[in-house]
Amino acid sequence: MHVLIHSLEHGIKDTLSLIPFLFVTYLIMESVERTGQEKASEIVAKAGPFGPLLGAIFGVFPQCGFSAAASNFYAAGLVNMGTLIAVFMSTSDEMLPILIAEKVAPVSVIKILLAKILIALFFGYLITFISKRFFKKQQISLDEYRARHGHDCSEDGHGIIQEVIIRTVKTLLIVLVITIALELVLETVGEDALRSAMTNVPVLGEALSGIIGLIPNCAASILITELYLSGVIGSGAMMSGLLVSAGIGILVLFRENKNIKENLFIIGILYLFSVTAGFIISFMGISFI
């Protein structure tokens, strides 16, 4: 009982301290999204060979709505698979607001964002090259197939302040639950034991983090970020989970693109690329904070 009470107190205290930072961050983000997301989506859709480059750059902004737009464009044949993968791997979802709210040094945040852009860019163009070099006929057939299926991008209809409050409250609730649960685990299992299990076994941390990241919900990116900031997982595992965490983009892909085998292939290579990148980061001892 004492452990539970302590975890509740710790979780509530930490969560309340995030309110002003999350609200201001979401206010800025929402303003940018409403003025720039549609234009950015149009640019990427018309980018041609520069699709993976622009997808990796625009995707890094904390808005899973962009990954949803990319899925819609892919289903309609407006962007290729390389561009879609670049957007998915670059998408930050709720990572950036959490890093800002937790007062992570700006240079560390920039390093994480740049790493995501570069990794997304590399694998985006790799898929583009492989598709054109070895699967040209199949890609043409898939483009024709997807062109027969329409797509739509729906708006939530909320005013900016209402949307900011909704996003802030939603994130706070998720952070509260995750913080309490994490505190309970650390108190019962032990921080050293949990960190050892996640970091000492090769690839295990990256693989598990990647599985968590596949959950099409902002809770996934919040959990991975909090685990990293708590020292439970390392930079490689953190990057694996955040690279694969495309938010609702994955759900939109399955809703709009009727080729289930193709969708599963995309998710498979997204996971493989993300875990591989995370393992390389761990192996090289790269640290962002």
Side-chain angles (χ1 to χ4, degrees), residues 15-16 18-20 22-24 26 94 98 161-177 218 222:
T15 302
L16 290 177
L18 301 181
I19 292 177
L22 281 177
F23 184 85
V24 173
Y26 280 133
E94 302 301 327
I98 296 300
I161 298 299
Q162 182 182 358
E163 183 64 25
V164 169
I165 293 174
I166 290 173
R167 294 180 70 174
T168 301
V169 172
K170 182 179 178 181
T171 300
L172 285 171
L173 291 175
I174 294 174
V175 170
L176 177 61
V177 172
C218 62
I222 294 174

Side-chain angles (χ1 to χ4, degrees), residues 253-270:
L253 178 66
F254 277 88
R255 186 190 70 189
E256 298 298 330
N257 188 35
K258 309 305 178 182
N259 191 326
I260 303 300
K261 290 184 178 179
E262 183 186 4
N263 294 340
L264 292 175
F265 174 75
I266 291 172
I267 301 307
I269 60 174
L270 176 65

Side-chain angles (χ1 to χ4, degrees), residues 160-200:
I160 185 169
I161 298 299
Q162 182 182 358
E163 183 64 25
V164 169
I165 293 174
I166 290 173
R167 294 180 70 174
T168 301
V169 172
K170 182 179 178 181
T171 300
L172 285 171
L173 291 175
I174 294 174
V175 170
L176 177 61
V177 172
I178 289 174
T179 303
I180 293 174
L182 183 58
E183 188 69 23
L184 284 171
V185 172
L186 293 177
E187 289 284 347
T188 54
V189 177
E191 184 174 345
D192 292 337
L194 185 59
R195 183 188 298 111
S196 177
M198 294 294 289
T199 58
N200 291 346

Side-chain angles (χ1 to χ4, degrees), residues 193-244:
L194 185 59
R195 183 188 298 111
S196 177
M198 294 294 289
T199 58
N200 291 346
V201 180
V203 192
L204 178 61
E206 290 77 22
L208 291 177
S209 185
I211 292 174
I212 295 174
L214 281 175
I215 300 172
N217 188 283
C218 62
S221 58
I222 294 174
L223 173 58
I224 293 167
T225 306
E226 291 288 358
L227 287 174
Y228 178 59
L229 295 178
S230 300
V232 175
I233 61 175
S235 298
M238 178 272 294
M239 191 58 70
S240 293
L242 293 178
L243 284 170
V244 79

Side-chain angles (χ1 to χ4, degrees), residues 23 27 65 67-68 74 86 118 160 176 189 205 259 271 274:
F23 184 85
L27 182 61
S67 66
Y74 180 75
L118 292 175
I160 185 169
L176 177 61
V189 177
N259 191 326
Y271 178 80
S274 299

